[in-house]
Amino acid sequence: MDAMYPILTRLGPFFIYSYTAVFTVGFLFAWVVTQRQPAQQTLPAWRDAALNILLLGWLGARISFVWLNWSYFAERPSELLQLWQGGLTAFGGLAGGLLGLGLWCWWQKRPFLAYATLFSPAVLLLIIAGWAACWVDGCAYGATTTLGPLSADLPDHFGVFAVRYQTQLLGIGLNLLALVFVLLWQQRWGNGRLFALTLLLAGLIHFALTFLRGDSVPTLAGWRLDSWLALLFAIGGVILLQYGRLSKSKQVGK
């Protein structure tokens, strides 16, 4: 299934970029879903927390993207502020968003995990939106391979077609499954460890997909840098799950 439509349309002198349009739709959907979460009724000022997450998340996603592609931007400094063309990283955004939430919770003396749990479905929805945006834009493309059920004739970010893994569609599908699982977990077992489960699933999915990607990123000890970051977040999810289980056991013991 071919894809790559970096520009959706033109309105006078302005271009509507597909990456920005798709991600904006994903963001709006994530906001609506968060508003419908039962927990938001018991968490005051959650919209203020969301604004802090968005600001720091966006900064983290952009700064990390520029850092990873500094050789490109060093030759084209005028593109540093062309934010409408995309240019974000998932883990930079996640790290920045967690920092923004942590700082806000510290300043307002609010429980971090309770608010993080509220935003857990939105995190997966934004990840899905990111993969969808990359599918229409051609970023995060797959490595070249042979024809098979997971591959197709697809372009890279430069428009060069080859038989590649369908990493973007795999990212959309797997994270949709993770979202369904998280929502079912929430309805059946409650919110206690929802954020930890979200981190674990998102990290494992991204970790697996990094081995199918063909875009160039820095490496460390033979692995892509985003492979290490995905594994780090997955381990963080495991630690939080264990912490939640121990806390629940102590409460039952009392």
Side-chain angles (χ1 to χ4, degrees):
M1 188 174 183
D2 295 348
M4 190 176 181
Y5 309 98
I7 299 176
L8 289 181
T9 187
R10 181 174 180 174
L11 298 176
F14 302 103
F15 291 100
I16 305 299
Y17 289 90
S18 58
Y19 187 101
T20 305
V22 171
F23 197 81
T24 299
V25 171
F27 162 73
L28 294 174
F29 191 54
W31 187 273
V32 171
V33 168
T34 303
Q35 282 189 314
R36 294 180 178 274
Q37 291 288 96
Q40 62 91 9
Q41 300 177 4
T42 62
L43 295 174
W46 69 267
R47 292 177 180 83
D48 294 338
L51 292 176
N52 279 273
I53 292 171
L54 291 173
L55 177 59
L56 270 294
W58 173 78
L59 285 174
R62 183 61 178 177
I63 290 172
S64 57
F65 181 83
V66 170
W67 175 67
L68 289 172
N69 299 275
W70 180 245
S71 59
Y72 175 88
F73 286 103
E75 298 177 357
R76 304 167 181 85
S78 62
E79 296 188 21
L80 283 170
L81 298 180
Q82 294 180 10
L83 309 177
W84 53 89
Q85 296 190 41
L88 308 171
T89 67
F91 289 109
L94 182 56
L98 290 176
L99 176 62
L101 178 60
L103 290 174
W104 183 85
C105 289
W106 171 77
W107 181 261
Q108 297 292 326
K109 296 181 173 57
R110 308 284 188 183
F112 174 83
L113 283 179
Y115 281 87
T117 293
L118 172 65
F119 296 117
S120 292
V123 169
L124 287 171
L125 283 169
L126 289 175
I127 291 174
I128 292 167
W131 281 112
C134 278
W135 181 70
V136 296
D137 186 63
C139 55
Y141 53 88
T144 55
T145 183
T146 56
L147 280 174
L150 301 180
S151 62
D153 187 27
L154 294 168
D156 60 14
H157 195 54
F158 305 100
V160 179
F161 279 79
V163 177
R164 306 179 187 278
Y165 288 111
Q166 301 187 74
T167 49
Q168 301 103 328
L169 293 182
L170 285 170
I172 294 171
L174 291 173
N175 281 286
L176 276 173
L177 289 175
L179 176 62
V180 171
F181 188 77
V182 163
L183 292 175
L184 289 175
W185 175 294
Q186 178 187 31
Q187 293 174 3
R188 186 171 180 180
W189 290 289
N191 289 335
R193 289 170 283 172
L194 193 67
F195 176 64
L197 179 65
T198 301
L199 273 187
L200 175 61
L201 292 177
L204 289 178
I205 290 170
H206 197 99
F207 177 73
L209 290 178
T210 58
F211 295 97
L212 303 181
R213 286 174 60 167
D215 53 326
S216 178
V217 299
T219 59
L220 178 64
W223 276 9
R224 294 168 54 103
L225 184 58
D226 54 346
S227 299
W228 288 108
L229 291 172
L231 188 59
L232 180 63
F233 277 102
I235 292 173
V238 172
I239 293 172
L240 285 176
L241 278 174
Q242 183 68 9
Y243 172 78
R245 186 183 70 82
L246 292 175
S247 298
K248 187 175 181 180
S249 299
K250 290 180 180 179
Q251 291 175 359
V252 172
K254 292 180 179 179

